[in-house]
């Protein structure tokens, strides 16, 4: 999925969301985004996929939430409406999302646990622009004339890439993995992390037990990710996989 330019403007307390969809789950119009809640209070755009959406959907249905689609986006929409930011910890998947509360005039941006999906944003006195690709920010009028961020340039020359939270232009950033950014129409904003990698510890398993545990984890992960409403395919290059 590809997110188009999205803008959050402080002028008039408006939030503008746009989306360009690659349909994987729920190919019908009910899966289109931006997705609105039944009462039209909440809106969501999401790039990626949440693999455990079916179990979350069942839990939300038991709380009385109505569902019109069969995909994961509507589940994410109502999960955030029900649990707020703590819902992010419950998502198993890869995603970059924007969730807007039109009643509180509040926008939540979030990125998945390990940063599989990027989320860039540009801060301006007039508001905030964000997207899943950096060139989307550069195409926005607010990015015209922004100078190069010298620290980001130094990092690129040192590492060959620019790590989060930096980006090549001043006032632009890459949201860090496992983090969220929340903004209000009045200009107030806050930022935090909902996930951090655990500290290294000596493994409990070794030898064949470790091999079996890794295989079981891989099989479980692949099974979760094979939920699709379009044909699935896989390809392997000869000699690319080795076993010991």
């Amino acid at each position: 999925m590809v997110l188009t330019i999205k803008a959050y403007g402080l002028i008039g307390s408006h939030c503008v969301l746009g989306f360009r969809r690659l349909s994987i789950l729920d190919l019908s119009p009910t899966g289109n985004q931006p997705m609105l809640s039944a009462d039209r209070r909440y809106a969501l755009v999401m790039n990626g996929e949440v693999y455990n959406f079916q179990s979350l959907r069942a839990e939300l249905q038991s709380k009385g939430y109505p569902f019109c689609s069969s995909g994961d986006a509507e589940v994410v929409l109502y999960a955030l409406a029900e649990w707020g930011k703590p819902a992010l910890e419950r998502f198993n998947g890869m995603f970059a999302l924007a969730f807007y509360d039109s009643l509180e005039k509040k926008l939540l941006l979030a990125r998945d646990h390990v940063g599989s999906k990027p989320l860039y944003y540009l801060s301006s006195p007039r508001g905030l622009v964000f997207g899943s690709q950096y060139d989307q920010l550069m195409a926005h009028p607010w990015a015209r004339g922004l100078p190069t961020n010298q620290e980001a340039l130094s990092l690129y020359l040192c590492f060959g890439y620019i790590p989060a939270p930096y980006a090549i232009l001043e006032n632009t950033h890459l949201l860090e993995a496992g983090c969220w950014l929340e903004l209000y129409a009045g200009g107030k904003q806050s930022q935090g992390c909902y996930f951090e990698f655990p500290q290294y510890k000596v493994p409990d398993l070794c030898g064949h037990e470790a091999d079996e545990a890794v295989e079981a984890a891989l099989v479980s992960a692949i099974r979760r990710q094979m939920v699709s409403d379009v044909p699935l395919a896989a390809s392997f290059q000869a000699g690319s996989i080795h076993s010991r």
Side-chain angles (χ1 to χ4, degrees), residues 175-229:
L175 188 64
E176 294 182 84
C179 290
W180 52 265
L181 176 67
E182 198 167 53
L183 305 99
Y184 289 83
K188 177 186 174 183
Q189 71 177 55
S190 58
Q191 189 168 356
C193 293
Y194 65 90
F195 175 80
E196 293 182 359
F197 282 101
Q199 295 293 320
Y200 173 79
K201 66 177 182 177
V202 177
D204 298 326
L205 302 176
C206 62
H208 292 299
E209 289 184 339
D211 291 340
E212 292 173 358
V214 170
E215 182 179 0
L218 285 172
V219 170
S220 177
I222 292 170
R223 185 175 291 116
R224 281 196 305 267
Q225 297 183 34
M226 289 184 68
V227 177
S228 174
D229 292 331

Side-chain angles (χ1 to χ4, degrees), residues 94-111:
M94 53 177 186
F95 55 85
L97 62 84
F99 175 75
Y100 183 65
D101 182 341
S102 63
L103 182 61
E104 296 190 14
K105 306 296 182 184
K106 179 174 62 176
L107 176 71
L108 174 69
L109 304 180
R111 192 176 176 203

Side-chain angles (χ1 to χ4, degrees), residues 144-168:
R144 292 174 187 167
L146 289 179
T148 299
N149 184 316
Q150 295 301 313
E151 190 172 2
L153 179 59
S154 296
L155 289 168
Y156 176 77
L157 294 175
C158 181
F159 299 119
Y161 74 100
I162 301 175
Y166 299 94
I168 195 61

Side-chain angles (χ1 to χ4, degrees), residues 122 126 137-138 140-149 169-172:
L122 183 160
R126 292 169 287 183
L137 300 189
M138 297 180 70
H140 196 277
W142 294 355
R144 292 174 187 167
L146 289 179
T148 299
N149 184 316
L169 296 180
E170 291 285 353
N171 301 329
T172 64

